[in-house]
Amino acid sequence: MSRLAHTTQQDMTDSIAILDFGSQYAQLIARRVREAHVYCELFPWDTPAETVLALQPRGFILSGGPASVYAEGAPTLPGYVLQSGLPVLGICYGMQLLTHTLGGKVNPSLEREYGSASVESLLPNPLLPVLSFPVWMSHGDRITELPPGFAALAKSGNSPFAAMGDFDRNYYGLQFHPEVKHTEGGAEILRRFAVEVCGCAPDWTPASIIGQSIARVRAQVGGERVLAAVSGGVDSSVAAALVHRAVGDGLAAVFVDTGLLRQGEPEQVVRTFRQQMGVELVAVDAAAEFFAALADVTDPEAKRKIVGEKFIRIFEREAKKLGAPKFLVQGTIYPDVVESAAPDRSKAARIKSHHNVGGLPEDMELSLVEPLRYLFKDEVRAVGEALGLPENMIWRQPFPGPGLTVRVLGEVTPERVARLRAADAIFTEELSRAGLLGKGAGTSQAFAALLPVRSVGVMGDERTYQETCALRAVVTEDFMTADWARIPYDVLARTANRIVNEVHGINRVVYDITSKPPATIEWE
């Protein structure tokens, strides 16, 4: 299976390399740097030097991590970082590692700092504001002696060296986490490092993303015909639009109606691609095939792999009818890659496979084109807007590649899918009426899930024993972390009342108030 070639300096003029030492916030660092319109990539700390340096970065950021620098087997600072002569910013463990490597001292702290703290600036410097400001701390060790050439830039109640700097070599360290929202002005600190210290031009914009993506697609596919897998979701739609911009009539889009989509979606997808985007679209009704393949299957990973394999086999079948294209476009985005823990990008534990990352068959005949593979969701939407895609498509609710299979917990049958589809439509309708869905509405994603849990109820003086519907709504910036949405009680009450009264087979509705982490957004 081919993958999009690694980004190189020919694609980007300026970039930052972030080395991940196991921080739960590593993706947020990347997010904040991108928000400053500077391209960056995240690499496991022990990624081969040639892979990292192929990016030709203008600076390095060292993330936090759970280890202690003096512990046996703790991650070390790769030699090429300091040998490069480029600016370096160490955050939490990254600061301690920089200190340890350059001759300073790091020791366990008698009083650990977790949570909010106040930091006071000590010297004028390129990164920090002049006055005291609140930050987010998360560390058990602290620096007790600075390396030669460094000065203390800030202190906190428990950290005499809350920030440090070597102005001659452009080495900086922060004991706190600037990437989290709890640190006031943290995003500005990261912007200053990337733009003012490293000298990166803030040119990572939707327009530049489009131009670079088009160039990469053309370089990858040449004059070959390309097949796009579209679901109507923002990711697959933006990916198809980018490739269409690159190859024009060389693109054919295939929409597979799996029978696992939300209410009204098949009709909407066909209408949007054919009438609004002018893309050649082949619509395939394959619901019966998918339900047959999923019969008696309850394991979520098995469901994902079945759906992934079925998708590819249908695409290969349609490809032969369309002149046997060699390339398949998919809307894989960065959170998909991280959660699937693709071995070339991350060492994180695999949470679940996505059908467009980890669920594809090894013997597929088509090579993948993934123009969004390293983009966050908000970047995808910004690109979609710049491409002129319809707003209702760009701000459509995110939807998992395996469809309702992962929202119908337990066995997937046409009856249970229809039950969930009806409940989900009621929930999104009520949220829309209340102004809680759509661009700027505050709720990032909302859906219903059907649980294989039956409970006793009473309807019309008769006993019922039916299934449970769980409602899920979250607020998030990047879908890497998320908090549950505080939906008004009256909206939840109307939704639950309508579902129980209008959807046959459901007699109980619950609301999921779990954040991500520890839960994922989807139930499976």
Side-chain angles (χ1 to χ4, degrees), residues 298-355:
T298 59
D299 179 74
E301 280 296 288
K303 291 179 187 178
R304 289 175 179 274
K305 291 185 181 299
I306 287 170
V307 170
E309 167 119 19
K310 184 61 65 176
F311 260 100
I312 292 303
R313 297 312 172 208
I314 292 174
F315 288 141
E316 289 173 346
R317 185 176 71 203
E318 295 302 319
K320 291 182 172 64
K321 300 177 183 177
L322 294 168
K326 296 181 179 179
F327 295 95
L328 171 65
V329 180
Q330 284 204 140
T332 309
I333 65 173
Y334 192 54
D336 295 339
V337 177
V338 171
E339 288 198 347
S340 294
D344 60 337
R345 301 296 305 168
S346 171
K347 293 195 172 183
R350 187 173 77 178
I351 300 167
K352 58 190 177 185
S353 64
H354 289 256
H355 90 279

Side-chain angles (χ1 to χ4, degrees), residues 101-122:
T101 304
L102 293 173
K105 292 184 179 179
V106 180
N107 296 106
S109 176
L110 295 177
E111 296 182 13
R112 298 185 176 189
E113 275 189 305
Y114 294 107
S116 184
S118 180
V119 161
E120 179 184 350
S121 294
L122 300 175

Side-chain angles (χ1 to χ4, degrees), residues 95-405:
M95 176 186 183
Q96 297 165 9
L97 186 59
L98 196 60
T99 299
H100 182 70
T101 304
L102 293 173
K105 292 184 179 179
V106 180
N107 296 106
S109 176
L110 295 177
E111 296 182 13
R112 298 185 176 189
E113 275 189 305
Y114 294 107
S116 184
S118 180
V119 161
E120 179 184 350
S121 294
L122 300 175
L123 290 175
N125 63 86
L127 297 185
L128 306 181
V130 178
L131 304 176
S132 62
F133 56 99
V135 301
W136 188 259
M137 293 281 194
S138 181
H139 65 99
D141 298 337
R142 70 174 182 173
I143 294 165
T144 56
E145 182 180 320
L146 292 177
F150 280 80
L153 305 183
K155 67 178 181 179
S156 71
N158 194 44
S159 296
F161 308 120
M164 67 180 191
D166 180 331
F167 299 143
D168 292 334
R169 291 181 289 183
N170 273 328
Y171 293 165
Y172 298 92
L174 305 174
Q175 188 60 74
F176 56 89
H177 291 272
E179 67 272 23
V180 302
K181 289 293 187 181
H182 304 287
T183 294
E184 185 176 293
E188 173 61 13
I189 292 172
L190 291 172
R191 187 203 67 79
R192 289 178 181 180
F193 176 74
V195 176
E196 298 176 15
V197 175
C198 297
C200 292
D203 56 6
W204 178 248
T205 63
S208 69
I209 294 172
I210 291 170
Q212 293 156 11
S213 297
I214 290 173
R216 284 198 298 271
V217 169
R218 287 174 176 167
Q220 181 183 3
V221 307
E224 297 289 342
R225 194 155 166 75
V226 184
L227 187 66
V230 300
S231 65
V234 60
D235 301 333
S236 67
S237 298
V238 173
L242 273 173
V243 175
H244 188 240
R245 186 75 65 91
V247 303
D249 292 341
L251 172 71
V254 173
F255 166 62
V256 178
D257 183 357
T258 63
L260 304 168
L261 300 178
R262 290 170 293 194
Q263 187 166 291
E265 285 186 322
E267 298 80 8
Q268 182 186 36
V269 170
V270 172
R271 183 169 58 251
T272 299
F273 273 84
R274 287 178 177 169
Q275 298 178 9
Q276 294 182 269
M277 295 176 60
V279 175
E280 178 187 351
L281 179 73
V282 176
V284 182
D285 183 356
E289 292 184 62
F290 278 87
F291 281 118
L294 290 164
D296 300 321
V297 177
T298 59
D299 179 74
E301 280 296 288
K303 291 179 187 178
R304 289 175 179 274
K305 291 185 181 299
I306 287 170
V307 170
E309 167 119 19
K310 184 61 65 176
F311 260 100
I312 292 303
R313 297 312 172 208
I314 292 174
F315 288 141
E316 289 173 346
R317 185 176 71 203
E318 295 302 319
K320 291 182 172 64
K321 300 177 183 177
L322 294 168
K326 296 181 179 179
F327 295 95
L328 171 65
V329 180
Q330 284 204 140
T332 309
I333 65 173
Y334 192 54
D336 295 339
V337 177
V338 171
E339 288 198 347
S340 294
D344 60 337
R345 301 296 305 168
S346 171
K347 293 195 172 183
R350 187 173 77 178
I351 300 167
K352 58 190 177 185
S353 64
H354 289 256
H355 90 279
N356 55 352
V357 179
L360 296 176
E362 292 294 329
D363 61 341
M364 60 178 281
E365 299 172 4
L366 298 165
S367 297
L368 293 182
V369 178
E370 299 173 308
L372 312 178
R373 186 174 178 83
Y374 301 130
L375 299 187
F376 289 92
K377 178 72 75 172
D378 58 326
E379 292 176 315
V380 173
R381 286 195 167 115
V383 168
E385 289 181 330
L387 288 169
L389 298 183
E391 184 172 305
N392 64 349
M393 174 183 288
I394 296 170
W395 291 96
R396 181 182 175 215
Q397 283 289 288
F399 193 57
L404 296 180
T405 56

